[in-house]
């Protein structure tokens, strides 16, 4: 009887673990199956090299580069804000903040991560953009800079919280050894804690990157929805996720090329996230081997 109960519990746990794999496989399968008819009409080389994305116009172009550029630029701006700020907050909470201060800051930090992204989008459009226009004359009302800055603020809680948990997991005897050698708290944090916890910190960065790449409402509201091949963050542009939202709201016949572009864009977005996850895995693995 005991073996039967253990077998049932083990089976339930296995099915729970398998559900995530099955869900991922189903999503990828749908994206690939729906994208195949698109590539029968549009060559892959044209898709990757054409500098215009106008699939719904009479003069249709199917180059993913404008959407890819908008996605990478807004993500880059967001990471320039989130990685330094999130890592600094994590170091402060882990090594410098008194227990009472940490117990106050941590819930507020996690509460920031619970704010709906549409609120962040209008915050970027109504509050951040006017301030940036005063600092940068001629900045258009829709631009990737404001969207990226607010995206960075949005993903700070993810990076800070996961990084701080990874830093807290560093064994205490390593910290005590550092202090015994005469290192200061800052030196211990930078030279001991961060290298020792870097695999967890890298996971926090990958989580932040994935969150920024897939962000929709902020860029749809604050960055504009016009595909524009540019690496200048002070110009308007559209991202892959914003395009998916824009087209999904329209009335497209099932099976048309315009309808299939939704799945092609989604597949491209998933491949970008996969590449970042693979890079993060090898980066974390390298630091685990070094330290």
């Amino acid at each position: 009887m005991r073996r039967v109960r253990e077998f049932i519990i083990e089976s339930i746990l296995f099915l729970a673990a398998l559900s995530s794999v099955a869900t991922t496989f189903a999503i990828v399968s749908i994206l690939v199956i729906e994208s195949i008819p698109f590539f029968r009409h549009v060559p892959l080389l044209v898709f990757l090299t054409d500098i215009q994305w106008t699939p719904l116009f009479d003069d249709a172009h199917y180059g993913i580069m404008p959407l890819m550029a908008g996605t990478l630029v807004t993500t880059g701006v967001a990471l320039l804000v989130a990685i330094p700020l999130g890592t600094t907050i994590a170091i402060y909470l882990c090594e410098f903040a008194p227990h009472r201060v940490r117990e106050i800051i941590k819930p507020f930090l996690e509460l920031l991560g619970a704010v709906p992204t549409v609120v962040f989008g209008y915050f970027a459009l109504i509050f951040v953009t006017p301030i940036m226009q005063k600092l940068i004359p001629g900045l258009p009302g829709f631009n990737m800079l404001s969207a990226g800055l607010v995206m960075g603020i949005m993903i700070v809680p993810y990076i800070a919280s996961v990084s701080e948990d990874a830093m807290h997991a560093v064994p205490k005897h390593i910290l005590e050894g550092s202090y015994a050698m005469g290192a200061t708290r800052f030196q211990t944090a930078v030279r001991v804690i961060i290298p020792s916890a870097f695999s967890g910190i890298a996971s926090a960065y990958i989580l932040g990157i994935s969150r920024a790449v897939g962000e929709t409402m902020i860029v749809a509201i604050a960055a504009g929805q016009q595909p524009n091949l540019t690496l200048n963050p002070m110009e308007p542009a559209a991202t892959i996720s914003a395009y998916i939202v824009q087209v999904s709201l329209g009335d497209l016949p099932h099976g048309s090329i315009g309808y299939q572009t939704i799945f092609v864009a989604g597949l491209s977005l998933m491949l970008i996230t996969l590449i970042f996850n693979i890079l993060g895995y090898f980066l974390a693995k390298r630091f685990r081997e070094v330290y």
Side-chain angles (χ1 to χ4, degrees):
M1 188 65 181
R2 181 180 178 182
R3 291 183 177 179
V4 173
R5 288 199 301 266
E6 289 181 352
F7 175 77
I8 293 174
I9 293 173
E10 193 174 318
S11 300
I12 293 173
L13 295 176
F14 174 75
L15 291 175
L18 186 64
S19 63
S20 61
V21 178
T23 302
T24 303
F25 179 78
I27 292 173
V28 174
S29 299
I30 291 174
L31 292 176
V32 172
I33 291 172
E34 293 289 346
S35 298
I36 290 175
F38 172 84
F39 287 111
R40 290 174 181 165
H41 294 85
V42 180
L44 179 62
L45 184 62
V46 173
F47 177 73
L48 295 176
T49 58
D50 196 341
I51 61 174
Q52 294 186 61
W53 178 262
T54 56
L56 306 181
F57 291 6
D58 291 335
D59 183 20
H61 289 268
Y62 301 97
I64 196 64
M65 291 301 296
L67 298 182
M68 193 79 70
T71 301
L72 295 179
V73 170
T74 53
T75 300
V77 173
L79 294 179
L80 289 176
V81 174
I83 287 180
L85 188 58
T87 306
T88 303
I89 292 174
I91 293 174
Y92 173 75
L93 292 177
C94 177
E95 190 66 14
F96 295 93
H99 178 74
R100 184 175 180 83
V101 175
R102 180 177 178 273
E103 292 301 316
I104 294 174
I105 294 178
K106 194 78 181 286
F108 277 95
L109 191 65
E110 293 174 351
L111 182 63
L112 181 63
V115 176
T117 57
V118 66
V119 175
F120 279 113
Y122 281 105
F123 174 74
L125 180 64
I126 297 174
F127 182 79
V128 176
T129 298
I131 294 177
M132 297 303 298
Q133 286 176 329
K134 293 180 181 179
L135 299 175
I136 308 175
L139 185 70
F142 296 101
N143 61 87
M144 292 184 286
L145 180 60
S146 298
L149 292 175
V150 176
M151 281 172 56
I153 296 173
M154 181 196 68
I155 63 178
V156 161
Y158 299 92
I159 294 179
S161 181
V162 177
S163 297
E164 196 257 345
D165 291 339
M167 293 177 186
H168 262 294
V170 176
K172 295 298 180 184
H173 68 268
I174 296 179
L175 308 183
E176 293 169 356
S178 176
Y179 293 136
M181 295 295 291
T184 64
R185 296 175 72 179
F186 180 77
Q187 289 173 330
T188 300
V190 174
R191 300 181 182 180
V192 177
I193 294 179
I194 291 180
S196 300
F198 192 80
S199 59
I201 295 174
S203 299
Y205 293 165
I206 295 302
L207 176 64
I209 292 172
S210 301
R211 188 70 183 82
V213 168
E215 173 51 36
T216 303
M217 293 310 300
I218 295 178
V219 290
I221 294 173
Q225 298 188 27
Q226 181 62 41
N228 182 22
L229 181 58
T230 178
L231 297 179
N232 184 358
M234 291 182 289
E235 294 185 9
T239 64
I240 297 176
S241 57
Y243 169 78
I244 294 174
V245 170
Q246 178 186 6
V247 176
S248 297
L249 296 176
D251 185 16
L252 291 175
H254 187 277
S256 65
I257 295 184
Y259 175 81
Q260 292 162 355
T261 58
I262 300 174
F263 299 94
V264 173
L267 182 61
S268 302
L269 196 61
M270 178 165 281
L271 289 176
I272 294 175
T273 305
L274 177 63
I275 290 172
F276 280 122
N277 276 273
I278 293 174
L279 292 177
Y281 169 78
F282 284 109
L283 183 64
K285 182 179 178 181
R286 177 183 176 186
F287 272 83
R288 277 198 299 266
E289 293 173 350
V290 172
Y291 295 98

